[in-house]
Amino acid sequence: MFTEYEIETLIENEVIQKATFELKKEFIKNEAPYLEISDQDFFSLVVMAPTVGVALANGSVSLWEEMALNKKARKLSKGGYFMKKDPVVFGLKYLIKQYDNWEGEFLKIIRLTMEECFDVASLETDFDSSKIVTESEYRDEVLKAPYIFIRFLSSFFLDDDEDIISPRKISKVDFGRVQSIGEKLGLHKIPLFHYFCSTFIVK
C-alpha cells in the first residue's frame, strides 16, 4: 500500500491537488462540517475509497474490518501512528456512513490520479478473459508492470503488498465488489487486473 510519503508526492501534482481540494470542500460542506483535515490527508481518504467499498460489500463494516481500515488510515495519514486524533480515521467514519453517495466522486479522483501518474491507455490491450493464467505467468506480468500501477492495486485491494504475488482467499461478495470497483475505475480493460483477480480464491 502507499506510504504517507508517496501520498505526499502524488498530491504535489497540481491537477490532482486542485481536484482533491474541490472535492474536500464539497465533502466537508455536505457531509462532515466538523472534519478538520489537510488536502494531503483528505487525498489519503480518497485513496482508501476502494478498500472501504470492499469492506462494505456485505452492507456493513465488521469490527475486524474497522480495525484494519483504521490501521491503514493511520499509515497513510501525515504523521501516521503517532497522531492521537487521526484526521483520516475521523474522515473514514463519514465516508463509511455515506459511501454510496460519494463513491463515484472519490473514484473519479483516483482515476484522474492514475492518468496523471502513468500511461493507463498503454496497459489497456485486448485479451482473452477466459484464458487461464498460471501463477508463474501472473508473477511475470507483475514484475513487468509499472511500479506505480502495482502500488495502486495493492493499496486498493490488499492489506499487505507481498500478497500481490500470491493467491489469497476472499468471499464471493467481496470479490464481486473488487470487480465492480475495478470496472468503475476502468481497470477491467487492463489484462493485469484480470490476472490479479484470477489469483483470488473465492470462498
Side-chain angles (χ1 to χ4, degrees):
M1 60 175 288
F2 287 122
T3 66
E4 65 172 283
Y5 304 109
E6 288 171 328
I7 291 292
E8 184 177 20
T9 301
L10 291 171
I11 196 66
E12 285 175 352
N13 177 291
E14 290 185 7
V15 174
I16 298 170
Q17 188 178 57
K18 182 179 179 181
T20 300
F21 176 71
E22 292 301 323
L23 180 57
K24 185 183 85 167
K25 283 198 306 183
E26 184 180 350
F27 186 75
I28 290 176
K29 177 182 177 182
N30 294 288
E31 230 39 89
Y34 303 109
L35 178 62
E36 295 183 5
I37 190 168
S38 67
D39 290 352
Q40 180 177 329
D41 282 340
F42 186 78
F43 182 67
S44 294
L45 183 63
V46 169
V47 170
M48 286 196 65
T51 311
V52 173
V54 174
L56 282 167
N58 286 310
S60 62
V61 175
S62 68
L63 178 59
W64 182 87
E65 287 172 326
E66 183 179 358
M67 290 173 64
L69 286 172
N70 288 346
K71 181 179 179 181
K72 181 174 280 193
R74 289 183 181 279
K75 285 185 177 179
L76 290 177
S77 65
K78 191 171 184 179
Y81 278 111
F82 301 101
M83 295 183 67
K84 292 182 178 180
K85 186 177 180 181
D86 193 297
V88 183
V89 172
F90 190 40
L92 268 177
K93 298 181 186 300
Y94 292 100
L95 179 58
I96 290 171
K97 187 176 180 181
Q98 298 293 338
Y99 180 80
D100 289 342
N101 294 335
W102 292 95
E103 179 191 49
E105 295 303 313
F106 277 56
L107 295 187
K108 279 182 186 177
I109 300 293
I110 291 175
R111 176 68 190 194
L112 173 67
T113 300
M114 290 193 297
E115 290 174 349
E116 286 291 314
C117 291
F118 63 95
D119 186 358
V120 180
S122 68
L123 302 179
E124 297 175 348
T125 59
D126 292 331
F127 65 96
D128 181 2
S129 60
S130 64
K131 179 185 177 183
I132 303 299
V133 179
T134 67
E135 192 172 306
S136 177
E137 289 173 325
Y138 166 69
R139 290 176 176 176
D140 188 51
E141 290 299 318
V142 167
L143 293 177
K144 291 178 182 176
Y147 171 80
I148 187 65
F149 179 60
I150 298 303
R151 297 297 282 165
F152 274 109
L153 272 185
S154 62
S155 291
F156 296 160
F157 304 119
L158 301 175
D159 292 327
D160 192 328
D161 289 346
E162 293 181 0
D163 289 341
I164 194 74
I165 60 172
S166 61
R168 66 210 76 79
K169 294 181 180 180
I170 192 172
S171 71
K172 185 176 181 180
V173 174
D174 286 358
F175 182 66
R177 184 58 68 93
V178 168
Q179 292 182 307
S180 172
I181 291 172
E183 187 167 345
K184 290 174 182 177
L185 287 172
L187 301 180
H188 65 298
K189 299 177 183 179
I190 300 174
L192 183 56
F193 178 70
H194 165 69
Y195 302 155
F196 168 72
C197 288
S198 72
T199 61
F200 283 103
I201 300 171
V202 183
K203 298 183 289 183

